[in-house]
Amino acid sequence: MLYDFKKKGEHEMDKVMSDKKVILLYVLPALILIMTIVYVPIILTGYYGLLKWDGIGEKTFIGLDNYSKLLTDSMFWKSTYHSFLLAAFSVISLGAYLLVSVILSGKIKGSNLFRKIYLVPMLLSSVAIAQLWMKVYHPTNGVMNRFLLSIGVENPPLWLADTSIVLYAIFLPIIWQYAGFYILIYYAALKNIPESLVEAARIDGASPWQIAYKIKVPLIAGVIKVTIVLAVVGSLKYFDLIYIMTDGGPNGASEVMASYMYKQAFRMNDFGYGSAVGFFLLLIALTVTWLIRKLTATKEEVQY
Amino acid sequence: MVETKVSKSQTKSTSQLEKPPSLMRGLMLSKITSWVLFILLSVLAVVQLLPLVWLFFFSLKNNQEVFNLSPLAFPTEPKWENYVTVWTQGNINTYFFNSVWITAASVLLTVFVASFVTFAITRMKWKWNKLVLGLFMVAMMIPIHSTLIPLFSFYTTIGIMNHPLALIITYSAFNLPITIMILLGFYYTLPREVEEAAIMDGCSVHRLFFTIILPMTKPVLATTAIINMIYNWNEYVFVNTFISSDRFKTLTVGIQNFIGQYSTDWGAIGATLMISIIPILLAFFVLSNRIVEGITSGSVKG
């Protein structure tokens, strides 16, 4: 009797919860949003790349002209190189964040407060960060050069006007901004490791560094992979600070893919070429994501 | 030998197994190490906060004080009037309220739409649910710049260019993936018995969702709301591209323009920047645990 009742209930439940009309009603709003605002546009970008178009007037189909121009556009490749350079720096800094997180996840006083303090820059708008760091780098009144002058450095650099250092001068605030984010993620992952595993290693006589290096870090390999993807893709599509602080300048020395695309479209009004750049940016971001996943793929997930 | 034993047992009782059982010398060393590490972490904390402290200080100075006083000296007579001046004269109040309502509207839309779809994906039975979920997850990797030109032309065609609606729907679409991701973990843990009981009682799916499931997800809704709020409040590229009239600009683009005009008045610039970040800092002060939770659950489980 009871069994029958339960079975009937499950059947009833299945029927109600697989009602096609209801499912459609719940899925459709989100699906329409993501389709019209994200997926249809990225396909259109690829198509617009085939046009000669100033954004307002006639669209003229010119085939692959924009794309072939892109392949020989040295400024585009320079900006692509800068984007990859940022990606490399971001990945290297992940190592430092991991180290900080390992320290933080040990029995350190105030670790909860620390990780929250580190997060603060991440919460601020890029305009605020850019404007603040432009002041930090101000040639005469910024804290950076006033500090350098006070310790006796003559002729401190013109951070944002010097073509050889401007890119690195912008990388610094970007890394400053995201440090707390990655530290937080690593910290959470490290805290998820069962205490018993660490304790077992300790009893076997492993030193704290051995425990960190041989046990903790391998156990969070999955999370590390995710952060590598996030850092690389985030860097490749990076735009905000560069656009606000230097606008890609001086003389293209800090141009990245996204800022180059924006300039072509909304400054030069070359929407066709801008679209081609935007489409390339998309292809590069997706290819690199796929590549990293493939390169770091392991057959078995870490179990504990 | 005996001494070592004694010290060992003492260590155990005082530090409750937190430190590895080691000899006296090792213990001293680990104590020094832990102090060195603590100082290292503190230095990092200072690095993260110092630029903001400096910002706060120069927002209360006039140019003369900025240029002549030490950067980290608190001004003798703090110029609070810097804040009053920019608030009323720089259009900052308009930008501020635009930011508030556009942020609020986008958060509401995103959280509702994301709740609907997460409910359907996790609780209802249909074939394509994994595929649809994948669609949202992949969207996270897509650079917004690859959508800008088509969106620009689309919004111009349907006539919402230079209108807040363009921002609200764009924010909602781009924030759906992260919102769904945060909701997902919570929805999976909801007990199935709740639904079973409700459906057996003849409750419709809509009533089940609105009167039972949605109220149950309140804690995670708060988390998604605050994460969304931070993203929307700080958003820059879309406002810069879609909004041209001062009437609809939000704080990020508004203060960018304002600073462009008053690029030499450090106090005014500092005050506008402070006004733009204070709401976020306040939210962080009150809801830091939720923010931490949102950020970690949004990425660790990815």
Side-chain angles (χ1 to χ4, degrees), chain A:
Chain A
M1 261 312 270
L2 194 70
Y3 176 78
D4 266 7
F5 177 73
K6 210 176 163 196
K7 195 126 202 208
K8 205 179 146 208
E10 265 170 23
H11 182 70
E12 173 74 17
M13 172 100 175
D14 277 355
K15 213 179 84 191
V16 174
M17 296 306 271
S18 56
D19 185 333
K20 290 274 183 315
K21 274 183 205 153
V22 178
I23 291 170
L24 210 60
L25 196 67
Y26 279 72
V27 173
L28 225 43
L31 206 56
I32 291 174
L33 259 181
I34 201 95
M35 280 300 175
T36 36
I37 309 294
V38 179
Y39 282 101
V40 173
I42 59 172
I43 294 164
L44 280 178
T45 294
Y47 166 67
Y48 288 166
L50 303 170
L51 307 174
K52 186 176 163 56
W53 180 37
D54 63 3
I56 322 157
E58 280 291 296
K59 295 182 176 116
T60 322
F61 189 81
I62 53 167
L64 291 169
D65 281 9
N66 283 326
Y67 290 102
S68 58
K69 181 181 162 194
L70 191 71
L71 293 177
T72 54
D73 180 354
S74 64
M75 197 56 234
F76 170 72
W77 291 109
K78 194 174 165 185
S79 61
T80 309
Y81 168 68
H82 293 158
S83 293
F84 275 93
L85 206 58
L86 175 59
F89 266 78
S90 306
V91 172
I92 292 168
S93 52
L94 286 183
Y97 305 151
L98 187 58
L99 188 70
V100 173
S101 313
V102 168
I103 297 171
L104 212 52
S105 69
K107 308 278 194 258
I108 286 271
K109 258 176 269 168
S111 58
N112 192 37
L113 182 66
F114 275 130
R115 70 188 175 130
K116 283 179 184 171
I117 289 176
Y118 299 157
L119 196 63
V120 170
M122 164 83 189
L123 308 172
L124 310 180
S125 74
S126 39
V127 172
I129 291 174
Q131 290 295 345
L132 175 58
W133 280 81
M134 281 162 84
K135 293 286 175 250
V136 170
Y137 285 135
H138 191 278
T140 50
N141 300 313
V143 269
M144 191 69 97
N145 280 1
R146 285 181 68 162
F147 171 72
L148 290 178
L149 282 169
S150 74
I151 58 166
V153 177
E154 285 170 42
N155 299 319
L158 300 169
W159 299 97
L160 299 176
D162 187 331
T163 50
S164 59
I165 46 175
V166 58
L167 203 55
Y168 305 97
I170 299 184
F171 288 174
L172 194 62
I174 298 175
I175 285 166
W176 175 77
Q177 180 182 11
Y178 285 101
F181 172 73
Y182 291 108
I183 291 174
L184 193 63
I185 292 175
Y186 288 148
Y187 178 86
L190 288 167
K191 279 286 170 193
N192 264 342
I193 297 173
E195 192 60 31
S196 58
L197 280 178
V198 178
E199 202 53 51
R202 210 168 269 163
I203 287 163
D204 288 347
S207 75
W209 288 115
Q210 280 175 326
I211 292 174
Y213 182 66
K214 295 218 169 102
I215 296 175
K216 287 185 173 177
V217 172
L219 280 176
I220 63 163
V223 173
I224 295 174
K225 280 180 213 164
V226 173
T227 58
I228 291 175
V229 173
L230 284 179
V232 170
V233 175
S235 303
L236 293 180
K237 60 185 187 187
Y238 199 80
F239 174 77
D240 290 15
L241 285 199
I242 288 172
Y243 178 75
I244 300 167
M245 288 173 79
T246 62
D247 196 11
N251 202 14
S254 61
E255 199 83 83
V256 290
M257 283 190 279
S259 66
Y260 190 60
M261 174 268 154
Y262 204 81
K263 198 171 273 174
Q264 292 301 325
F266 298 102
R267 193 87 38 82
M268 315 286 198
N269 286 325
D270 192 344
F271 275 53
Y273 192 55
S275 295
V277 177
F279 193 62
F280 241 79
L281 173 61
L282 172 77
L283 291 183
I284 290 175
L286 293 183
T287 312
V288 168
T289 306
W290 174 79
L291 212 62
I292 297 173
R293 298 233 162 186
K294 196 157 169 81
L295 287 177
T296 60
T298 39
K299 287 211 177 69
E300 57 213 281
E301 280 295 301
V302 180
Q303 299 264 333
Y304 50 82

Side-chain angles (χ1 to χ4, degrees), chain A residues 17 22 25-27 29, chain B residues 108-117 119-120 123-124 187 190 194-195 198-199 203-218 221:
Chain A
M17 296 306 271
V22 178
L25 196 67
Y26 279 72
V27 173
Chain B
L108 271 180
L109 181 64
T110 316
V111 168
F112 264 105
V113 171
S115 291
F116 285 141
V117 71
F119 174 73
R123 315 305 286 189
M124 301 194 70
Y187 269 84
L190 290 178
V194 180
E195 283 155 39
I199 299 289
C203 182
S204 74
V205 178
H206 306 305
R207 260 193 57 201
L208 167 71
F209 176 71
F210 282 104
T211 63
I212 299 170
I213 302 289
L214 210 52
M216 280 172 84
T217 63
K218 255 186 212 156
L221 286 184

